[in-house]
Amino acid sequence: FLPAPTQLSQDQLETEERLRAQKSHSTALVSSRREPPPYGHRKGWVPRAFEDFGDGGAFPEIHVAQFPLEMGRKKKTSNALAVQVDAEGKIKYDAIARQGQGKDKVIFSKYTDLLPKEVLNDDAQELQRPDEEVVKELTEKTRFALEKQVSQKIAAAMPVRAADKQAPAQYIRYTPSQQGVAFNSGAKQRVIRMVEMQKDPMEPPRFKINKKIPRGPPSPPAPVMHSPSRKMTVKEQQEWKIPPCISNWKNAKGYTIPLDKRLAADGRGLQTVHINENFAKLAEALYIADRKAREAVEMRAQVEKKMAQKEKEKKEEKLRELAQMARDQRAGIKSHSDKGGEDSEARERDMIRHDRRKDRQHDRNISRAAPDKRSKLQRDQDRDISELIALGKPNPRTSSEAQYDQRLFNQSKGMDSGFAGGEDETYNVYDQPFRSGRDMASNIYRPSKNIDKDAYSDDFDSLMQNNRFAPDKEFSGADHGQRRDGPVQFEEDPFGLDKFLEQAKQHGGSKRPSTSNRSKDDYHDKKRRKE
């Protein structure tokens, strides 16, 4: 009773389209290309697939969003990988870990990678050593790779490098698709010669190759097989509670931190005091070393004590023997008569030999030090006393009596002779003339024979004959007196100074040494010095 609908529903359209496709598939021998329905028969048809648009654009009479040739459609980017399966047909989930990695990179992503390898027999193919051909091939490949790297480094380091060697020309034969007289000059085939273009060695680089490229992703770590997650207990949560970091030096925020929190953050309470056993070993070693040292010192002291005791006993024995020998000699007893006499004679001979050896050594030393002095000493030793007196030599033969200064035995004045009656300021050192003997006065001013020989050389004899400086020759205006034998003599007190000093001393008293006494002493000293 109802009229037929003017528009079909979506389900009816899909069912009708499916029936039409089956009918066309069953009747057609060769499936044709899918094309949009012709114009005028597009009622209720909506282009959805890529083939619905054919080679043309959108259909303006159909008011739906259309994307002919996928133009205008937003492309959905997805990092989803295509599902891959292995040889057993199982999905390869390790493709996610291998994404972006090289094909030769070893990535552990399976449970079997965690299992140990099975031990193979010695005859297994994998454990056999390579043969000579494989070794040579690998050696050549390695050498070629090293030479290539070295040549590249050397070429890059050279400022001007030679032109690269060109590869040999290649000849390519091909048959063009367009055949005929009008094409390819009437030839059916062509031969092309491919030559590498010559590169200018001085040309600067065209591209910047010094840019730093970020590294690729590192190899993912080996998977860690986790046990099923379980809920943490309160005790574990408290154990995993990490205290905040509290510095002992800085407090930028100015917080007031309690001492217990500061000590808890220090972590001292978590440390258990553990004493190393080496301390005990060191203490025991020190104790043993100390005990050994004490024992060594005690043993050394005992040995020294025993040696001292033996030395003391030897000395006592020697003294006892000497005392016994002395008693025997005093008593006239000869102990070991023959042997003792022989020992004494041998001892005397040894002493004589020793003395003679010392004399020879003394003579050798003198001859080695000064040969001329030795001859002079030997010559003077052999001289007679009369020759020594004639030559003016001192008496070399000293008397056995000890020589003393006779002034030490002067007892006429007592203490006054040495200390001037207790007056320390009195200067009486030169109160006696030095060697007042007449022979000394006559010899002390006599010049030696050859004292002026070196100064005057050959003229010395003529000067001595002239007698220019003879003591008996007088100067003009001098007093013609008798000839003197000794030094120059002066008159005593020509100015009456002694009398003046005596008078001053009488008037001045004798409480302290007066200036006049000092002047008098000075005068006498000057006088003695002139003498």
Side-chain angles (χ1 to χ4, degrees):
F1 299 101
L2 295 175
T6 57
Q7 294 182 354
L8 298 174
S9 64
Q10 185 68 22
D11 297 338
Q12 292 174 348
L13 287 174
E14 290 179 359
T15 304
E16 188 177 337
E17 194 171 335
R18 195 179 303 111
L19 292 172
R20 192 185 307 119
Q22 290 177 0
K23 193 182 293 183
S24 63
H25 181 70
S26 60
T27 56
L29 295 175
V30 180
S31 61
S32 60
R33 192 175 60 178
R34 183 178 177 182
E35 292 183 353
Y39 191 75
H41 299 279
R42 298 173 183 166
K43 190 175 182 181
W45 177 75
V46 180
R48 302 284 185 187
F50 181 80
E51 294 82 2
D52 293 343
F53 296 96
D55 294 334
F59 299 96
E61 66 274 13
I62 301 174
H63 301 285
V64 292
Q66 303 175 35
F67 303 98
L69 302 179
E70 298 296 330
M71 291 188 299
R73 188 189 296 274
K74 291 183 179 180
K75 293 182 180 180
K76 295 180 180 180
T77 57
S78 175
N79 56 358
L81 299 175
V83 178
Q84 299 178 10
V85 293
D86 55 2
E88 298 178 359
K90 296 180 181 179
I91 299 176
K92 296 172 66 175
Y93 292 103
D94 59 345
I96 300 173
R98 289 186 175 276
Q99 185 182 7
Q101 305 296 335
K103 61 178 181 178
D104 297 331
K105 198 161 194 177
V106 178
I107 297 175
F108 302 100
S109 58
K110 294 181 292 185
Y111 172 72
T112 54
D113 296 334
L114 299 175
L115 298 176
K117 288 187 176 181
E118 58 178 335
V119 180
L120 301 176
N121 296 326
D122 296 339
D123 300 335
Q125 186 67 25
E126 298 178 1
L127 300 180
Q128 298 302 319
R129 298 183 64 178
D131 53 358
E132 293 294 332
E133 295 181 358
V134 177
V135 171
K136 288 183 179 180
E137 184 181 356
L138 288 175
T139 305
E140 289 296 324
K141 287 175 66 176
T142 307
R143 186 176 60 81
F144 180 73
L146 290 175
E147 287 181 355
K148 186 177 180 182
Q149 288 187 356
V150 170
S151 61
Q152 287 178 356
K153 294 283 186 183
I154 294 174
M158 293 178 63
V160 177
R161 55 198 180 97
D164 295 335
K165 196 172 183 180
Q166 291 183 351
Q170 295 180 357
Y171 296 91
I172 302 170
R173 184 192 299 272
Y174 82 103
T175 303
S177 60
Q178 294 177 343
Q179 296 290 339
V181 182
F183 302 99
N184 199 19
S185 302
K188 293 183 179 181
Q189 290 183 342
R190 289 181 69 93
V191 177
I192 300 176
R193 181 171 175 267
M194 294 285 292
V195 182
E196 188 177 355
M197 191 179 72
Q198 181 71 37
K199 186 178 180 182
D200 187 5
M202 299 295 292
E203 183 184 5
R206 297 182 180 180
F207 312 103
K208 291 183 179 179
I209 57 173
N210 57 352
K211 289 184 179 180
K212 290 186 179 181
I213 304 171
R215 289 182 181 178
S219 60
V224 180
M225 301 299 179
H226 294 282
S227 60
S229 59
R230 51 191 174 85
K231 198 171 184 181
M232 289 181 65
T233 61
V234 179
K235 185 179 180 181
E236 290 179 346
Q237 289 180 1
Q238 290 178 354
E239 288 177 353
W240 277 100
K241 187 176 182 181
I242 301 173
C245 179
I246 299 173
S247 174
N248 288 329
W249 295 276
K250 294 182 180 180
N251 190 6
K253 299 292 182 83
Y255 292 146
T256 303
I257 303 167
L259 290 177
D260 56 345
K261 301 293 188 297
R262 188 177 289 277
L263 291 176
D266 197 3
R268 295 177 186 175
L270 302 176
Q271 298 175 357
T272 58
V273 179
H274 178 70
I275 300 175
N276 198 342
E277 61 179 2
N278 291 333
F279 284 105
K281 293 180 181 178
L282 176 63
E284 187 177 0
L286 290 175
Y287 175 72
I288 294 172
D290 183 61
R291 188 178 63 189
K292 295 284 186 184
R294 288 180 184 276
E295 291 177 359
V297 169
E298 187 177 357
M299 191 179 300
R300 197 180 298 114
Q302 290 178 0
V303 171
E304 290 179 356
K305 191 175 180 181
K306 289 181 181 179
M307 292 177 64
Q309 185 70 20
K310 288 182 180 180
E311 192 72 23
K312 188 177 180 181
E313 290 177 359
K314 285 183 181 179
K315 287 183 179 180
E316 289 179 356
E317 185 68 24
K318 191 174 182 181
L319 290 174
R320 197 177 295 110
E321 291 178 359
L322 291 175
Q324 184 66 29
M325 290 174 61
R327 283 195 295 269
D328 294 344
Q329 289 178 2
R330 196 181 299 114
I333 303 172
K334 270 193 174 181
S335 61
H336 311 290
S337 58
D338 298 337
K339 191 176 180 181
E342 292 177 0
D343 292 344
S344 61
E345 291 177 1
R347 196 179 300 110
E348 289 177 0
R349 287 196 298 270
D350 291 340
M351 290 176 64
I352 293 170
R353 289 194 193 97
H354 182 66
D355 293 341
R356 289 180 180 177
R357 192 183 301 113
K358 285 181 65 176
D359 293 340
R360 288 195 298 270
Q361 183 69 25
H362 180 67
D363 294 341
R364 275 199 302 272
N365 293 339
I366 291 176
S367 62
R368 193 182 299 114
D372 54 347
K373 188 176 180 182
R374 182 193 176 216
S375 61
K376 190 184 296 182
L377 287 173
Q378 290 179 351
R379 186 174 66 247
D380 292 343
Q381 285 178 1
D382 298 336
R383 288 187 186 278
D384 191 36
I385 188 65
S386 60
E387 296 179 3
L388 293 174
I389 294 172
L391 292 172
K393 298 283 185 180
N395 185 14
R397 288 165 176 74
T398 57
S399 62
S400 60
E401 300 178 359
Q403 299 293 325
Y404 299 103
D405 191 356
Q406 296 298 326
R407 288 176 292 179
L408 296 174
F409 301 103
N410 186 13
Q411 299 177 357
S412 61
K413 294 185 180 181
M415 292 295 292
D416 295 343
S417 63
F419 295 96
E423 297 181 2
D424 295 337
E425 296 183 4
T426 304
Y427 190 77
N428 56 0
V429 178
Y430 302 103
D431 56 348
Q432 297 292 334
F434 176 70
R435 291 192 178 183
S436 59
R438 191 171 186 81
D439 54 350
M440 179 59 66
S442 61
N443 291 330
I444 196 171
Y445 295 103
R446 180 182 296 175
S448 62
K449 273 189 173 183
N450 299 326
I451 193 170
D452 295 329
K453 186 74 174 174
D454 298 333
Y456 300 102
S457 66
D458 298 336
D459 298 337
F460 182 70
D461 296 334
S462 61
L463 290 173
M464 290 296 290
Q465 291 175 4
N466 291 339
N467 205 7
R468 293 176 59 190
F469 298 101
D472 55 349
K473 189 174 181 180
E474 301 173 353
F475 293 98
S476 61
D479 187 10
H480 298 278
Q482 60 181 354
R483 180 180 176 181
R484 67 177 183 273
D485 297 330
V488 180
Q489 298 178 0
F490 297 91
E491 296 180 2
E492 184 176 358
D493 196 9
F495 303 105
L497 188 59
D498 291 341
K499 187 177 181 181
F500 173 74
L501 292 174
E502 288 293 338
Q503 292 177 0
K505 187 176 182 181
Q506 291 177 2
H507 289 292
S510 60
K511 291 183 181 179
R512 62 181 180 85
S514 60
T515 310
S516 60
N517 291 338
R518 295 178 189 171
S519 303
K520 183 178 179 181
D521 295 338
D522 293 341
Y523 168 72
H524 285 297
D525 294 338
K526 292 178 182 178
K527 182 179 177 181
R528 290 192 200 99
R529 289 170 189 163
K530 289 179 182 179
E531 291 177 359

